[in-house]
Amino acid sequence: MKGFWSALFGRRARRRWIHLILGGALAMPYVLVGSVVIGPLTGVSDVFSSLTLQLGSFAVGLPLAAVTALFPLTRPISVAAVRALCGVPGDALADGPPHSRAARGRTVAWFTLHLGFGGVLSGMTLALPPFAATLIALPLFAGLRDSALALPEVLHHAWALALAPVAGVAMLVALAGCAAVAGALLARWAPVLLGPTPADRLAVAERRAADLALRNRLARELHDSVGHALSAVTLQASAARRVLDHDPEFVREALAAIEDTTRRTVGELDAVLGVLREAGDPASTAPAPALAADLDGLLSRTRAGGLRVQADVVALDPAALPPLVSREAYRIVQEVLSNALRHAGTSLTLRLARDGDDLLITAENPLPPHPPRARPGGGHGLRGIADRARLLGGAAEAGPADGTWRVSVRLPLKANARGNRTRNRTRGTTP
C-alpha cells in the first residue's frame, strides 16, 4: 500500500506532474491561436464557455506546436526539462540540437506528446481539485448546498450527501493516477524520442577521441619540457656544487643557466595548464618553442649542464621549416638531449640536415652501460619521439650502432594527409 501511494504522490510522481503542467503552460499560446480559428468557424464569441470548443481549439493548436518544434533549440530545452523532472538518466538523452531528419521528427513527436498530455492534465488539475474539495466539505457546511454553485440535484439527497466526500477523494486519487501514468509514459518514451541518434553517438565519440588526443599530446609536452628541465637543472647544480670553491665563474654560469631553464619551463608549464583548465582563448597562451628560434638556447642550457654537444645544421634553414615540423623537431631534439644528459655521460653529436623532402635528425653519443628502452605504459622519451615522428608521417629509430647509441628521426617537410589531420585536430588547442 505504501508503494501505491508513493507511486501517486511520491517525489518522482510530483516532479513528473510538474513536467506535465509545464507542458500545459507551453500549450496555452497554441490553444489561444486555435480559439481564434474555432470562434469564427462556429460563430461563438466565447470559445472557453464550451468544453467541446475548448477541445477543438486544443486540436487546432497541437499541429501548430508540431511545426514550431522544428526549431533547433526545442530538443536541448526538452532534454533539460526531462533530466530535471522526469528521472531519466542523462546518458540516455542526446545533447544539442538534432542534425538529421529522423532526429527532428522524433523531437516533433516528443514536443507534441508533451504538450498534448500536459494540456489535458493541466486542465484536469485546474478543474477537479476545487470540485473535489467542495464535495469533501459539502456534508460539513450546509451553506455550500444553498449557495450559487449550481451543484447537481442528486447532491441534495441524504445518501448522495454522505457519499460526496468519498467521491471527492476518489476524484483526487484518479487525478493523481492519471498524472502518474502520463508522467511514466513520457519518461519511458523520452529516451526513444530524445535519445542520441547514430550521428549523435558518432559526434560524441569524435569529441572524446579529440579530447584524448589532446590529453596525450599535453602529457608528451609535460614529459619533454619538464623532464628535460629537471635533468638539466640537476646536472647544472651538481656541477656547480663540485667546483664551488675554486671556479666561481663556472658557478655563476651554471646558476644563470638554471634560472633561464626554470623560467622557460614555468612558462611552458603555465601554457599547458592553461589549456587543461580551458581558461580563455588557447591562442592567448604562450607559444610553443620551435627549432628556428629556440635551438641555440636549448643547446647552450644543455652545455651548461656539463654535456659537450657538437651540433651541425647542414643544407637547412630552420626558419624555413613548416611551423608544425619546427615545433615537433624542437621537442624531439629536446628529448634526445634529455636522454643524453641522463644516460650518455659527457658528449653528444647532433646533426640536422635536409634530405630531399625530409628533415633528418641524427644524434650519437657514447653507448651508456644501460641503454634506455621504451616500456609499455611508461610514457618514456623514446616512445614520445616515435609518436611525434609517426604523427607527422615520419619514422624514428633508436639503438646501439658501432659502439654508440644512435637516434635517427626522419620528418617529412611536406605535410601529408595524416599530418594535416593532426594539425587541424590540435590547432588552437596545443600550448
Side-chain angles (χ1 to χ4, degrees):
M1 193 65 179
K2 182 179 179 181
F4 173 76
W5 291 112
S6 176
L8 295 183
F9 301 102
R11 183 174 181 270
R12 174 176 292 183
R14 294 196 304 270
R15 293 169 71 91
R16 290 177 176 176
W17 201 337
I18 293 173
H19 182 252
L20 288 166
I21 293 176
L22 178 62
L26 292 174
M28 281 304 300
Y30 303 102
V31 174
L32 292 175
V33 173
S35 68
V36 174
V37 176
I38 292 295
L41 290 178
T42 59
V44 178
S45 59
D46 187 8
V47 174
F48 295 99
S49 62
S50 168
L51 179 59
T52 302
L53 295 180
Q54 291 180 41
L55 293 176
S57 301
F58 189 60
V60 172
L62 276 183
L64 299 177
V67 173
T68 59
L70 293 172
F71 285 97
L73 288 178
T74 301
R75 190 172 76 170
I77 294 174
S78 298
V79 166
V82 170
R83 283 175 173 163
L85 298 173
C86 290
V88 178
D91 56 358
L93 304 173
D95 292 313
H99 299 290
S100 65
R101 181 177 299 178
R104 286 192 291 270
R106 286 195 287 268
T107 302
V108 168
W110 167 263
F111 192 70
T112 306
L113 284 172
H114 183 204
L115 268 61
F117 280 28
V120 173
L121 262 297
S122 296
M124 294 172 62
T125 302
L126 289 173
L128 282 181
F131 184 65
T134 300
L135 292 180
I136 293 172
L138 197 60
L140 304 177
F141 300 96
L144 292 175
R145 284 167 276 172
D146 301 328
S147 64
L149 295 178
L151 296 174
E153 287 294 333
V154 68
L155 291 177
H156 294 284
H157 297 285
W159 62 269
L161 196 62
L163 292 177
V166 178
V169 172
M171 287 181 181
L172 294 178
V173 173
L175 174 61
C178 291
V181 171
L185 287 175
L186 287 181
R188 183 174 182 178
W189 292 336
V192 177
L193 299 178
L194 297 178
T197 63
D200 294 324
R201 294 189 179 94
L202 179 60
V204 171
E206 289 178 345
R207 287 196 298 270
R208 289 177 179 172
D211 180 68
L212 181 59
L214 174 60
R215 290 178 179 274
N216 288 339
R217 182 172 180 82
L218 293 178
R220 286 199 303 270
E221 296 289 335
L222 285 174
H223 173 272
D224 294 349
S225 177
V226 177
H228 171 80
L230 291 177
S231 298
V233 166
T234 300
L235 291 176
Q236 289 160 356
S238 176
R241 178 179 56 81
R242 288 196 298 269
V243 299
L244 179 62
D245 295 330
H246 58 273
D247 194 349
E249 183 62 27
F250 179 84
V251 173
R252 279 193 292 269
E253 293 178 0
L255 292 177
I258 290 173
E259 180 183 5
D260 182 59
T261 301
T262 54
R263 183 184 296 112
R264 291 177 59 86
T265 305
V266 168
E268 294 179 17
L269 183 60
D270 286 342
V272 174
L273 294 180
V275 175
L276 286 176
R277 290 191 297 264
E278 298 180 350
D281 182 5
S284 65
T285 59
L291 197 65
D294 302 288
L295 178 60
D296 291 339
L298 177 63
L299 294 176
S300 63
R301 291 191 299 273
T302 304
R303 290 175 178 131
L307 181 67
R308 295 192 302 273
V309 181
Q310 178 183 346
D312 296 319
V313 180
V314 180
L316 177 70
D317 180 11
L321 294 175
L324 181 60
V325 175
S326 182
R327 292 196 300 269
E328 296 302 317
Y330 175 89
R331 290 303 190 192
I332 290 172
V333 172
Q334 184 183 53
E335 183 57 36
V336 167
L337 296 176
S338 297
N339 286 341
L341 281 170
R342 287 192 293 265
H343 305 290
T346 59
S347 64
L348 178 138
T349 301
L350 177 67
R351 187 174 186 269
L352 293 90
R354 178 162 186 154
D355 184 11
D357 291 332
D358 295 337
L359 169 63
L360 185 61
I361 303 173
T362 306
E364 293 184 352
N365 55 260
L367 189 64
H370 302 288
R373 296 181 181 274
R375 296 187 299 272
H380 296 283
L382 294 179
R383 168 175 289 186
I385 291 174
D387 287 344
R388 290 180 185 277
R390 185 170 57 252
L391 287 174
L392 291 180
E397 296 179 354
D402 300 328
T404 63
W405 179 264
R406 190 171 189 270
V407 177
S408 178
V409 181
R410 183 177 295 272
L411 303 178
L413 297 178
K414 294 182 178 180
N416 56 22
R418 189 174 187 180
N420 281 328
R421 287 197 299 270
T422 304
R423 177 176 57 192
N424 293 335
R425 190 166 55 242
T426 59
R427 180 178 297 160
T429 57
T430 301

